[in-house]
Structures are given as C-alpha cells and as structure tokens.
Amino acid sequence: MVQGRKMKMILLLIIQIVMAATAANVTYDHRALVIDGKRKVLISGSIHYPRSTPEMWPDLIQKSKDGGLDVIETYVFWSGHEPEKNKYNFEGRYDLVKFVKLVEEAGLYVHLRIGPYVCAEWNYGGFPVWLHFVPGIKFRTDNEPFKEEMQRFTTKIVDLMKQEKLYASQGGPIILSQIENEYGNIDSAYGAAAKSYIKWSASMALSLDTGVPWNMCQQADAPDPMINTCNGFYCDQFTPNSNNKPKMWTENWSGWFLGFGDPSPYRPVQDLAFAVARFYQRGGTFQNYYMYHGGTNFDRTSGGPLISTSYDYDAPIDEYGLLRQPKWGHLRDLHKAIKLCEDALIATDPTITSLGSNLEAAVYKTSSGSCAAFLANVGTKSDANVSFNGKSYHLPAWSVSILPDCKNVAFNTAKINSATESTAYARQSLKPDGGSSAELGSQWSYIKEPIGISKADAFLKPGLLEQINTTADKSDYLWYSLRMDIKGDETFLDEGSKAVLHIESLGQVVYAFINGKLAGSGHGKQKISLDIPINLVAGKNTVDLLSVTVGLANYGAFFDLVGAGITGPVTLKSAKGGSSIDLASQQWTYQVGLKGEDTGLATKDSSEWVSKSPLPTKQPLIWYKTTFDAPSGSEPVAIDFTGTGKGIAWVNGQSIGRYWPTSIAGNGGCTDSCDYRGSYRANKCLKNCGKPSQTLYHVPRSWLKQSGNTLVLFEEMGGDPTQISFGTKQTGSNLCLMVSQSHPPPVDTWTFDSKISNRNRTRPVLSLQCPVSTQVITSIKFASFGTPQGTCGSFTRGSCNSSRSLSLVQKACIGSRSCNIEVSTRVFGEPCRGVVKSLAVEASCS
C-alpha cells in the first residue's frame, strides 16, 4: 500500500515536471505577442466548432495548417453550452475541449474568444434566451444580474480549460482569450454605464488568472492590460490605444454572410490578399481571417434575423470542407511570403516612405542585416513602375509586392499562381434505383399538422402578445387564434366584394388562415404589413394566424429587446370602406409550437404517419418522411430542396436547419465580374441575383448510415417533397490558370542566396494539379502563350499566340496528376516582341 502511494507521488511529480517544461510564457510588447521570450508573426483563421462536426474537425484543422495558419480562432457559444440554466452541453458539435485538443495535436495555437456575447450571425448573439427572463436583467451594461451570469459562464469556460491544461501557461495551445465583443461599436447607446461595464469586464477576466493575455476587439478604450484589436475589411490604418500593445486584427472578413432573400456576396482574393499584406506592411503581426471555414447553421442557430442556413462566408475552405481555389492557394502563398520576412518584421518598426502618388514603401531593416520590404500601389485604376533601391518594380493597381530581401519580389497580391478549381453538385435520387417523381412519392409518408389550436397547453390572453416573450424561443412557431361572430346583415358579407384582414407584425413570416383555409402570407425582416382579402360566413368564423421566426436578432445596441411576432394592429375592414373591427384588443388563444414538435415527429416513431397515395403536395403545414440510402463515395453530401417551399429538415433525428428555396434574391446588384481594385464592401461583389438564395443544404457524412436513413421535413409553406434530391459536393474536374512573365516565381522556390543572379533565379511557372490524388490530367481544353484574353472558362487567343502552346502543354501535362510549365520564350519561342506575354491553360482531370 505504501509502495503504491510512493509510485503515485512519483508519477504526479513527473507529470508536474513535464508540464513545467512544456508550459509557455505568453506576453506581448508593442510589436507582437511574445511566446517564451520571442516575438511571433502569427496568421490565424476562424473555425466555429458547432458549425461543423467533430468528424470534420481534423481535416479542417489540417487544411488550415497546410494553408499556412499558426492559430485557430473560435468563439465560445453560450446558448449551445447552457441551453437551460445550469444544464450544460459539451458533447458532439459542442465538445469544445475536443476541438481545442485537436488543434493542439496539429501543432497550432488557439485564440479562445469567450465573449460571451459573440454576434457571429448566431441566434440571439450567442446568448441563451433564458437569460432574457432573469429578473431585473439588462444585457451588456453595468447591471448586476447580467454581470453575475456573465461571470458565472466565463468562469465555467476558463475553469474547464484549466482542468484540461489547455492554456499555454499550462502547456496547452491557448495563447490568447477575448472578453466581450465589438462593444465599442455600440457602447455610446449605454451611456456612462458602458465605461464602468467595460472596466468591470476587463477586471473580471483578469481575475480568472489564465496566464495568457486577453483582448477586446473594437474597443478603443480597452483598459490596460487588455489588448484592443481591430475588426473590418481593412485594418492597416488601425493603431492600438497604447504604444505598449501590438497591432492585431481579430476579424478580417474573408467574404460576407448570406441572408435569405439576398444574392450571394463574395470577396475577390486579390483584394483580401492586398488587405493582409497592407496590414503586415504597416506594422501588424497578428491577423485572423473571419472566416477561414464558415460552415453551417444547423438546427435553429442562425441569427439575423433571416440569416441563411449556409454560413459559407466565401471562406478559403467552403461550407462542405472543400478548398475554395484559387482563394486558399493564393493566401497560402501570401503566408509563405510573409513568413520569409518574419525575422525582420519582429525586430523593428517599419520605415514608411512615399514612392509617388498612391505609392508607398515600408522597410524593415535590422542591425544584423535582415531586410524586408513591402511596396504598395493603393491606387484603384493605374498600374505603376516604381524605383526602389536602384531597381524598377512593376506594381499593378491595388496591390502589394513583398520583397523578403529588399531586392527580389516573392509575391504580389494581384498576381495569382494558384489554379481555379470549381465545385459541382452531383445529383443522385433518394433510392439507388429511383425513377419518376410518382415512384418517389410512393416512398413518402405524411402527417398533416393541425391548423390553429391543437394542444392542451394553449392559453387565453386579451390582446396581442410579443412572440419571444411568449415562446422563449422554444419553437419558431406561435399560433394566434380568434373566434368571432359575423351577423348576416354586416357589410363584411356583401356579395361581390371581400372583407380585408389587415395584419402588422414585427416578423419574420406570417400565415393567415380563415376558417381552416390559407388566405394569405407574407414575410419581412423587421416589419410586415399585410392586407388580405378574405371570405367570411354568417355566424362563427375562425382567424388563425401562424407567426414564424427565422432567427433572432444578434447585433446592435439593445438587440435583445428587438421583438418578433404579431403585435398589431390587426383589423377587419369592409371592402367597401366604412366599418372596421379592431381585432387586436380581443381575446386571443395562443399555442406555442406545433403539435408535431411536441410529439417528436422529427426524432421518434409514430403510428400517425400515412403512407397511402396520393401524397398531398403544395399544401401548407404538412410533415413528410421518407427513407434513403447514403450517396456513394466519401464526398460531402447535400440536399437540393428545389420544389419545396419553406420549413425545417431532419436527417436521422439531427436538424440540418431551416430550408427556404423559394426565398428569391432581388435582381439588382450583381455583375458578371467584380473589379477587385478599390475598397471592398459587403454589397460590392454579388452573384445569383434573381435566383433562390440557397437551394443546397449540407448533410454531414457522419450523420448518415449506408442505408436506411430517415429524412423528415416540416413543410410550412407548401411544396412537393418528391422533387428534392440528394447528391454530393465534388471538386470539379476543370483547372484553369493564367500566369504572365511579370508574375513572381513560385514562392516555394524562394532563396536568400545572394550568389544567385537575377538571370539565374527561377522564372514564373504555371502549375496545375488535379485536386483528387487518383486523378490525372486527361485533356487540355485551351492553351495559349502570348496575349490570351478572358477568364477561367472563357479564355480566347489574342493577336499574339505561340503556335506551339497547345502541343507543349499537352506533352507536359497529359497523363500526370500535376505539371509545371515555365512561362518564358525559352520554352515557347518568341511569338511577339516588346509585349509582356502570358500563358493561359484550361485542363480537365479524371
């Protein structure tokens, strides 16, 4: 027994010694975060663990590392971890410890943004809705009930990380934590209480003794030692509030979020790379992409309101975990170029000089001889040739060239060396041998959701109730039901005309049923006003109004007080004018949620399912169920909901989120191409105008069995479920790229060897590689060395073209998975003198 205790004590001592040896000391100075006494240039990317699955995490993290990231940044989602007070969830997609440990295993750091307000286009900004009902609470201000709850949850997370030894001070990967989030954007609305609240937040966080620094983003008055950091499309002009703090960028928006009813925003990679290079050029040492992988708003987690289920964000890794090219590859090359400059960047501040109008040089030069330079053309229209250190350099408009030795260009933000790879949706039927829609329809069963009040917990209240206070967000759905008597001589029954039901709602969707039949509907983000012609009968009439939320507000001062639902007025008007009845003040019956939700139709078996034909379609309020086999292969799976209206879907009991393929984007704002030059904004680059905002919905592979999977839909609007299809998201077989003689050589070939002359340095190279390891290049659809025109998929030959282009490219590439072709007259000959020539290639893999 004594011997056993001694062994345990020895083992404990060994563990403590190992931990002490691996623990890191993380501090900061005016240049950078300092880890174990050494300044670090860090490149970070956001991946939100609940927006993907644990099975996806290792691949996402590895692709992030391969892309040149040092840090993974994530929010902590209070509403997911504590859906009911003191009832915690750290399992499945909310297994935060597992996620952090996987990042650690990959050799990366973690920035843990606890918040606990996160915004993030997440329902209610990440706050659990039960918080709204704490007596006396006021969110995000100097309010004792709120501060008590905020401190309790923040402490819970910090203690959990400490118990698992996950802070760098304990030998773990977490080098930085964040408290609060973008409060400086809206703090003026809270008056003097905002300042005391921020001071308290900082003091509370510091008292938790994590052993690593804390930051506050968008908080210019962040008290010491909090690091105030920048969020935005550009942060090169940002300055910390103390010369003792480093210049850090916590959110570089790699694209933008999608809303139902909106076109798809995207951000050209040339502009994104320009923003990053400008930040490091002007003294930055920590930059984070928001998002690096956006993922999916599963279940009812999307906020907004009206945020789509997809949270793709035009990120370098797309919603399904596939690389978005050339964005991922171009940024990887940028990161390599920046890291080539690291010794100079961490040693000193930049010396910035003007090279002309809109032209700028930043030089980092050390006493030991290290030298790195960034040359920028911030003009939006004209390319420029600049003289720097006795040499001439060509700078495209809105671009930065990086010179790790102050002489030779390793990278230019406007010149892409990574091929474009498209992705495609490969459709499969629900059954391997599925045939016509009629045949598929016979495989469906259904249950009709009752219109109006059907549950025993319905209740009466005079007047109209605000929805969030009534449902506590337990469901998207709230029924407002009213019975009224219409006398036979009233004008509401005049022949040849209809009465008009006027409804005003705070959003986001309203369906009006009169005597059990759908009379009209509407939707809106914050305000809905409907005038619905209706038929009434003499005697008793029933008005059933179904109000539907599509995510709760997540941003702005007092966003928690933004209401939803039918708050009135609601009036009944005679079609001929004159008489009207105020319905808002009458006695209404309320029902929170649906009968099918209460009986668990999405997750449990039920004897109520009806399988007989014909299957009712294009009718509101129907539950549908079918079974299907998983699509073959290992590619990510999606459902195309075209043919349905709006609702929520479950696969094997897991909610894949809200679907709404009938939500159509407006026709304005999209262009065939988007000029990357000039400041980016959220609506600058748009596509898919006039089309559904989202038709494809992600189904994680890990949720599927090989066969016998169950799909359940609640179709609220009315559609035909037999029209939907399963399929896989696949990296397309086409590759295309254009590289000019003025492109820098591949950054992988960079060398500091001063003995290599410019003549002998590697020339520009066009590189192609099939995205799948089992593929080879089977055909060359286009090849031209000279002055080719157009973009990927629409290349054309210019007036100058080498006749050897196609044959040389075919010889170099066909039959191989990858090929590298030098872009030079040495290879292709001289088709035209005095012109900078380019090589454009489009290839197919199979």
Side-chain angles (χ1 to χ4, degrees):
M1 190 76 171
V2 174
Q3 187 71 19
R5 287 177 181 170
K6 285 184 177 179
M7 288 299 295
K8 286 182 180 179
M9 291 177 65
I10 292 170
L11 182 60
L12 182 61
L13 181 60
I14 291 172
I15 291 172
Q16 291 173 340
I17 292 171
V18 170
M19 283 180 55
T22 58
N25 180 32
V26 184
T27 58
Y28 63 83
D29 61 18
H30 83 287
R31 282 297 297 129
L33 288 179
V34 180
I35 302 176
D36 285 337
K38 184 177 181 180
R39 291 172 175 168
K40 291 283 188 179
V41 170
L42 296 171
I43 299 166
S44 174
S46 290
I47 299 175
H48 294 160
Y49 52 97
R51 284 176 158 144
S52 53
T53 63
E55 292 78 10
M56 294 173 67
W57 294 342
D59 183 61
L60 296 173
I61 294 165
Q62 186 60 49
K63 285 174 177 173
S64 302
K65 183 177 182 179
D66 293 343
L69 299 195
D70 307 294
V71 183
I72 300 297
E73 184 178 284
T74 186
Y75 282 125
V76 176
F77 295 86
W78 190 355
S79 60
H81 290 303
E82 194 179 5
E84 298 180 46
K85 187 171 182 177
N86 294 320
K87 293 183 179 180
Y88 294 100
N89 175 23
F90 289 96
E91 298 178 351
R93 291 185 294 112
Y94 292 96
D95 192 341
L96 174 59
V97 168
K98 180 175 183 176
F99 180 77
V100 173
K101 287 184 175 181
L102 285 170
V103 176
E104 180 180 30
E105 289 173 13
L108 301 179
Y109 296 120
V110 173
H111 178 197
L112 195 67
R113 305 176 75 189
I114 299 175
Y117 165 72
V118 299
C119 183
E121 292 71 58
W122 191 270
N123 193 60
Y124 217 47
F127 287 142
V129 176
W130 59 257
L131 198 66
H132 175 75
F133 298 94
V134 172
I137 200 165
K138 293 181 180 179
F139 287 12
R140 304 179 75 198
T141 189
D142 195 354
N143 169 265
E144 290 304 321
F146 178 76
K147 291 191 297 182
E148 179 181 337
E149 295 294 345
M150 175 175 168
Q151 182 167 3
R152 183 181 58 80
F153 179 74
T154 304
T155 303
K156 173 78 175 180
I157 297 300
V158 169
D159 286 349
L160 180 61
M161 297 300 103
K162 284 183 175 181
Q163 289 164 15
E164 299 291 336
K165 313 297 183 190
L166 293 176
Y167 283 103
S169 55
Q170 303 171 294
I174 303 173
I175 58 170
L176 186 68
S177 289
Q178 178 177 300
I179 197 71
E180 249 298 333
N181 187 53
E182 296 186 326
Y183 190 64
N185 293 350
I186 49 92
D187 59 3
S188 61
Y190 295 86
K195 291 191 178 298
S196 55
Y197 166 65
I198 279 298
K199 289 180 180 178
W200 171 85
S201 297
S203 176
M204 182 270 290
L206 291 169
S207 72
L208 298 177
D209 192 25
T210 63
V212 301
W214 288 82
N215 78 287
M216 287 180 165
C217 65
Q218 295 294 92
Q219 195 67 47
D221 62 348
D224 294 341
M226 293 280 158
I227 306 170
N228 65 303
T229 61
C230 182
N231 292 355
F233 290 119
Y234 307 94
C235 281
D236 51 283
Q237 301 299 316
F238 169 74
T239 302
N241 64 12
S242 166
N243 193 44
N244 297 320
K245 298 176 183 179
K247 181 173 179 173
M248 297 177 61
W249 191 359
T250 36
E251 289 189 19
N252 177 3
W253 301 324
S254 58
W256 201 243
F257 56 85
L258 174 67
F260 283 123
D262 295 336
S264 300
Y266 64 98
R267 187 177 185 185
V269 69
Q270 299 97 318
D271 173 68
L272 182 56
F274 170 80
V276 175
R278 285 283 289 165
F279 181 71
Y280 287 99
Q281 175 189 352
R282 298 187 66 89
T285 52
F286 180 105
Q287 183 269 162
N288 175 76
Y289 296 102
Y290 186 101
M291 301 292 297
Y292 199 74
H293 164 74
T296 306
N297 291 317
F298 297 113
D299 204 353
R300 299 170 54 245
T301 57
S302 60
L306 300 182
I307 299 297
S308 67
T309 300
S310 171
Y311 198 67
D312 181 86
Y313 221 89
D314 196 42
I317 304 174
D318 76 6
E319 176 182 4
Y320 298 87
L322 301 175
L323 299 183
R324 174 170 277 114
Q325 296 285 30
K327 183 170 271 191
W328 182 88
H330 193 49
L331 295 177
R332 173 202 58 199
D333 292 346
L334 167 64
H335 305 155
K336 289 178 180 178
I338 290 169
K339 287 305 182 84
L340 288 171
C341 304
E342 182 168 17
D343 288 347
L345 289 175
I346 62 175
T348 184
D349 294 314
T351 299
I352 299 174
T353 57
S354 173
L355 300 176
S357 177
N358 292 321
L359 302 170
E360 183 180 282
V363 177
Y364 293 84
K365 193 170 185 178
T366 71
S367 57
S368 62
S370 295
C371 186
F374 293 74
L375 308 182
N377 180 356
V378 298
T380 61
K381 299 186 182 302
S382 300
D383 294 0
N385 292 306
V386 300
S387 179
F388 174 72
N389 283 350
K391 292 179 63 177
S392 180
Y393 297 88
H394 177 75
L395 290 176
W398 203 253
S399 79
V400 177
S401 284
I402 299 175
L403 291 64
D405 60 358
C406 287
K407 297 176 184 177
N408 299 288
V409 177
F411 182 88
N412 178 273
T413 58
K415 297 179 178 180
I416 297 174
N417 274 329
S418 294
T420 296
E421 300 172 6
S422 61
T423 58
Y425 174 69
R427 187 182 305 270
Q428 298 186 22
S429 61
L430 287 174
K431 295 287 184 180
D433 58 350
S436 67
S437 294
E439 184 180 352
L440 287 173
S442 66
Q443 299 161 1
W444 289 86
S445 53
Y446 69 93
I447 295 174
K448 292 188 176 183
E449 175 71 23
I451 293 170
I453 307 304
S454 61
K455 293 164 54 181
D457 58 0
F459 59 93
L460 288 167
K461 283 281 184 179
L464 296 169
L465 301 181
E466 190 277 328
Q467 185 160 349
I468 302 170
N469 283 315
T470 307
T471 66
D473 199 41
K474 299 295 184 184
S475 170
D476 281 357
Y477 302 99
L478 177 63
W479 281 106
Y480 298 69
S481 186
L482 177 69
R483 290 190 176 185
M484 58 182 182
D485 285 334
I486 300 295
K487 295 179 181 179
D489 58 351
E490 291 194 45
T491 58
F492 301 109
L493 300 177
D494 285 351
E495 292 186 13
S497 63
K498 293 185 176 183
V500 175
L501 180 64
H502 176 76
I503 305 169
E504 293 190 19
S505 169
L506 298 177
Q508 288 78 53
V509 183
V510 173
Y511 301 94
F513 296 85
I514 304 299
N515 297 324
K517 294 183 178 180
L518 180 65
S521 64
H523 66 269
K525 191 171 186 177
Q526 294 176 327
K527 182 76 171 177
I528 303 172
S529 182
L530 298 175
D531 286 295
I532 302 172
I534 60 173
N535 290 314
L536 297 173
V537 297
K540 294 187 181 297
N541 291 265
T542 302
V543 177
D544 292 305
L545 306 180
L546 180 61
S547 179
V548 187
T549 53
V550 187
L552 305 187
N554 58 262
Y555 180 75
F558 308 106
F559 77 87
D560 52 300
L561 302 180
V562 174
I566 301 166
T567 54
V570 175
T571 57
L572 183 64
K573 304 176 184 178
S574 168
K576 294 183 177 180
S579 60
S580 66
I581 301 176
D582 173 24
L583 303 181
S585 59
Q586 297 196 24
Q587 187 95 337
W588 290 79
T589 304
Y590 292 90
Q591 176 182 299
V592 175
L594 307 171
K595 180 181 179 182
E597 289 179 309
D598 274 16
T599 56
L601 293 182
T603 57
K604 301 175 184 177
D605 291 331
S606 172
S607 59
E608 296 181 48
W609 290 104
V610 179
S611 300
K612 65 182 181 181
S613 296
L615 183 74
T617 61
K618 299 180 181 178
Q619 301 175 27
L621 308 187
I622 299 183
W623 294 83
Y624 295 104
K625 184 171 78 167
T626 191
T627 57
F628 65 96
D629 296 342
S632 59
S634 58
E635 295 92 352
V637 177
I639 303 179
D640 184 343
F641 274 94
T642 301
T644 60
K646 178 186 179 296
I648 304 177
W650 295 261
V651 171
N652 293 332
Q654 302 263 26
S655 172
I656 65 171
R658 303 179 181 98
Y659 65 87
W660 196 356
T662 54
S663 181
I664 309 298
N667 289 314
C670 292
T671 57
D672 292 336
S673 62
C674 183
D675 190 347
Y676 69 86
R677 298 174 300 180
S679 295
Y680 182 80
R681 56 193 181 278
N683 63 352
K684 179 181 179 181
C685 303
L686 302 173
K687 57 186 178 181
N688 294 330
C689 288
K691 298 179 180 180
S693 296
Q694 185 178 355
T695 57
L696 298 181
Y697 294 77
H698 182 204
V699 181
R701 274 275 179 188
S702 59
W703 292 3
L704 298 176
K705 302 174 289 185
Q706 186 173 350
S707 62
N709 298 284
T710 301
L711 170 66
V712 175
L713 317 180
F714 174 65
E715 174 56 58
E716 66 184 57
M717 182 177 287
D720 183 354
T722 69
Q723 299 301 309
I724 73 171
S725 67
F726 274 74
T728 55
K729 287 286 287 187
Q730 301 175 353
T731 302
S733 59
N734 281 2
L735 305 173
C736 50
L737 178 61
M738 184 188 294
V739 175
S740 75
Q741 290 177 301
S742 66
H743 272 57
V747 69
D748 289 336
T749 66
W750 175 266
T751 176
F752 283 99
D753 191 344
S754 59
K755 295 178 181 178
I756 298 178
S757 66
N758 287 335
R759 176 174 292 183
N760 292 325
R761 283 185 177 268
T762 305
R763 291 173 171 80
V765 172
L766 185 146
S767 298
L768 299 175
Q769 178 173 295
C770 296
V772 180
S773 60
T774 56
Q775 292 179 328
V776 297
I777 297 170
T778 53
S779 68
I780 304 298
K781 295 183 175 181
F782 181 90
S784 174
F785 177 76
T787 56
Q789 306 296 314
T791 57
C792 185
S794 60
F795 287 140
T796 58
R797 291 183 177 85
S799 58
C800 169
N801 174 61
S802 170
S803 60
R804 304 167 60 192
S805 301
L806 182 59
S807 61
L808 287 173
V809 173
Q810 287 175 329
K811 183 178 180 181
C813 298
I814 288 181
S816 300
R817 185 191 175 196
S818 63
C819 57
N820 302 293
I821 307 162
E822 183 180 299
V823 182
S824 72
T825 55
R826 186 170 70 176
V827 173
F828 291 94
E830 179 59 86
C832 50
R833 296 188 182 277
V835 177
V836 176
K837 289 164 278 295
S838 299
L839 174 62
V841 177
E842 183 172 354
S844 290
C845 297
S846 63

